[in-house]
């Protein structure tokens, strides 16, 4: 019997458990069969062969589900329809639905080239010029907290990484503390929830929000979106922010703001920071995570910051030292390119003015698309349904009120890609596509249960 015959016989005997067989043969050696190792040797005129199956040590690791947001883009790319729309990922697009690099960003990068900036490691806390600029942008350069050195700012990996850094601080130095996030919110923070979205009105459940914050144990961290709430686009009014601050102050809670859209929501840096500044003006200690992905279009640069506004400069110094200690084993130090862009833009008066104009342009395009979508739906839908919530929302997202089945219909029938909670990114919509999207929403809302 040739060795190929030995392998043929062995192949019939392979199973997940090791198997043995004996055959008359005068051959000895070892061979591979797929992921199995075949060993055979001569003993008393017989061949003894063992088939050992190699099982991966990672066999018990299950396949992860697709990311609810980034997975939408993967499905969109696989779609061959000319009508397809990607309204899943929150990234600004031009009217031609192309990515947009801000002119002011290009100019800031040219400054870096002209100066011959190097690529040396940054300190753990990041670029000093960036940290100064970002705290002043958030609070206002004349804010007493800045003048009194009560702000601990550490450069982070965009908004997500900055939130992660803040979460690590809470976990280490406030063990057992409760953390509340809005229901719904974006999907990376697994904490308890307070009521926020009211499906009956497609608006803010303000009473439920206040009740849940009041009911939380004293000293709870309450995660708030500074403006352009993600995913709903529903923000409290300034009067409601005052009442939220009242309750948080009365309960001795700690506000933790996520500020991902400053200047990108309303077009005004100051207006979009009003909620945070209100809390700080009351003398409250506040955590704030920032991102420059949206307002400067620096999506891939991963540039943001974690700020802790404390009641004293001494405690701010200690907090900053611990934020650096937490960051060191996570990512050692942050990337320099995006930080220098922000520092150049904010620190150069001409570029800063140009940036504000470009933000107004981007925010204005989204407002125009929002208005056109509302007008298109209102004119086409004769059912009497009130779609005015579209205009009351703000920022790049609109919460349509569509459920999972209706959202699936948007994708399967109309090739409109969106998250399954009914959120659409108006930044990925053009004026020319509003009529088509209106038809898809009306069909999905009325014809799918």
């Amino acid at each position: 019997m040739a060795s190929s015959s030995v392998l043929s016989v062995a192949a019939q005997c392979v199973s997940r458990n090791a198997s043995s067989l004996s055959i008359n043969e005068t051959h000895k050696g070892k061979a591979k069969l797929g992921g199995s190792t075949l060993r055979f040797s001569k003993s008393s005129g017989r061949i003894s062969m063992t088939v050992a199956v190699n099982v991966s040590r990672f066999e018990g690791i299950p396949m992860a589900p697709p990311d609810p947001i980034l997975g939408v883009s993967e499905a969109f790319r696989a779609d061959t329809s000319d009508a397809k729309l990607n309204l899943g990922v929150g990234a600004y697009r031009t009217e031609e639905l192309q990515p947009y690099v801000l002119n002011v960003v290009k100019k800031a990068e040219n400054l870096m080239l002209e100066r011959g900036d190097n690529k040396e490691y940054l300190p753990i806390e990041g670029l000093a010029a960036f940290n100064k600029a970002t705290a002043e942008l958030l609070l206002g350069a004349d804010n007493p907290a800045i003048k009194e050195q009560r702000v601990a700012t550490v450069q982070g990996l965009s908004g997500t990484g900055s939130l992660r850094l803040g979460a690590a601080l809470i976990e280490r130095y406030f063990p057992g503390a409760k953390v509340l996030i809005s229901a719904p919110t974006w999907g990376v923070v697994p904490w308890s929830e307070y009521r926020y979205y009211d499906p009956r009105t497609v608006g803010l459940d303000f009473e439920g929000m206040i009740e849940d914050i009041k009911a939380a144990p004293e000293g709870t961290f309450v995660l708030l979106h500074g403006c352009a709430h993600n995913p709903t686009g529903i923000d409290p009014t300034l009067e409601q922010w005052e009442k939220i601050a009242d309750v948080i102050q009365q309960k001795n809670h700690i506000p933790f703001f996520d500020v991902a859209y400053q200047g990108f929501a309303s077009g005004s840096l100051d207006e979009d920071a009003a909620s945070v500044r209100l809390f700080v003006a009351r003398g409250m200690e506040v955590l704030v995570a920032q991102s420059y992905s949206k307002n400067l279009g620096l999506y891939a640069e991963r540039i943001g910051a974690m700020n802790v506004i404390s009641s004293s400069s001494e405690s701010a110094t200690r907090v900053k030292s611990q934020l650096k200690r937490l960051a060191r084993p996570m990512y050692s130090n942050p990337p320099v390119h995006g930080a220098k862009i922000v520092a150049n833009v904010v620190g150069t008066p001409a570029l800063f003015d140009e940036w504000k104009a470009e933000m107004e342009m981007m925010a204005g395009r989204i407002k125009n698309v929002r208005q056109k979508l509302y007008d298109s739906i209102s004119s086409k839908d004769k059912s009497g349904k009130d779609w005015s919530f579209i205009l009351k929302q703000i920022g790049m997202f609109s919460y349509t009120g569509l459920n999972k089945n209706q959202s699936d219909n948007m994708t399967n029938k109309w090739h409109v890609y969106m998250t399954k909670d009914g959120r659409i990114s108006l930044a990925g919509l053009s004026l020319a596509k509003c009529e088509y999207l209106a038809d898809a929403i009306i069909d999905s809302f009325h014809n799918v249960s």
Side-chain angles (χ1 to χ4, degrees), residues 9 36 48-49 62 136 144 168 189 265 268 283 311 313 330 336 342 418:
V9 172
S36 306
S48 176
M49 181 170 64
E136 291 179 353
V189 190
S268 166
S311 59
S313 60
M330 277 191 205
V336 69
V342 175
M418 55 193 288

Side-chain angles (χ1 to χ4, degrees), residues 142-326:
D142 295 329
N143 195 288
I146 292 176
K147 291 183 175 181
E148 295 162 10
Q149 299 182 324
R150 294 190 286 107
V151 184
T153 301
V154 171
Q155 184 183 332
L157 304 183
S158 199
T160 309
S162 300
L163 284 165
R164 176 68 182 84
L165 199 54
L169 184 74
I170 293 170
E171 183 179 36
R172 179 168 294 185
Y173 295 104
F174 300 86
K178 190 176 182 68
V179 181
L180 287 181
I181 62 174
S182 65
T185 190
W186 56 297
V188 299
V189 190
W191 285 327
S192 301
E193 295 180 326
Y194 58 83
R195 282 170 283 176
Y196 193 87
Y197 172 67
D198 185 349
R200 297 169 299 172
T201 63
V202 195
L204 178 66
D205 183 359
F206 183 67
E207 291 183 3
M209 178 184 185
I210 292 296
E211 285 178 8
D212 289 345
I213 294 174
K214 278 184 178 178
E218 184 173 323
T220 291
F221 287 83
V222 183
L223 190 66
L224 304 160
H225 294 215
C227 63
H229 181 272
N230 183 2
T232 67
I234 302 163
D235 284 356
T237 64
L238 276 177
E239 291 76 20
Q240 288 172 327
W241 275 121
E242 292 278 6
K243 293 177 182 177
I244 294 166
D246 287 341
V247 174
I248 288 178
Q249 211 161 11
Q250 290 162 9
K251 291 286 298 189
N252 200 29
H253 294 332
I254 302 125
F256 187 166
F257 278 92
D258 177 7
V259 177
Y261 305 95
Q262 186 182 355
F264 193 79
S266 68
S268 166
L269 288 163
D270 293 329
E271 185 175 333
D272 291 346
S275 58
V276 175
R277 294 177 186 181
L278 183 158
F279 280 67
V280 173
R282 288 184 172 214
M284 301 170 72
E285 294 187 304
V286 183
L287 283 70
V288 187
Q290 286 171 279
S291 169
Y292 290 93
S293 292
K294 307 300 191 296
N295 56 13
L296 265 169
L298 300 177
Y299 305 101
E301 300 294 350
R302 312 315 295 150
I303 177 66
M306 182 65 217
N307 306 269
V308 178
I309 297 92
S310 185
S311 59
S312 71
S313 60
E314 293 80 11
S315 61
T317 300
R318 292 195 299 272
V319 167
K320 186 171 183 177
S321 73
Q322 293 299 340
L323 286 172
K324 290 164 59 178
R325 185 183 179 191
L326 291 165

Side-chain angles (χ1 to χ4, degrees), residues 302-373:
R302 312 315 295 150
I303 177 66
M306 182 65 217
N307 306 269
V308 178
I309 297 92
S310 185
S311 59
S312 71
S313 60
E314 293 80 11
S315 61
T317 300
R318 292 195 299 272
V319 167
K320 186 171 183 177
S321 73
Q322 293 299 340
L323 286 172
K324 290 164 59 178
R325 185 183 179 191
L326 291 165
R328 182 68 170 100
M330 277 191 205
Y331 52 85
S332 189
N333 39 43
V336 69
H337 191 80
K340 287 187 175 180
I341 291 173
V342 175
N344 285 341
V345 169
V346 178
T348 308
L351 293 183
F352 187 58
D353 289 341
E354 187 174 340
W355 177 38
K356 289 190 287 186
E358 282 197 88
M359 271 191 294
E360 287 179 15
M361 178 273 294
M362 292 190 293
R365 194 191 87 75
I366 293 174
K367 288 176 184 177
N368 290 339
V369 167
R370 187 182 289 280
Q371 183 68 54
K372 178 67 182 295
L373 177 61

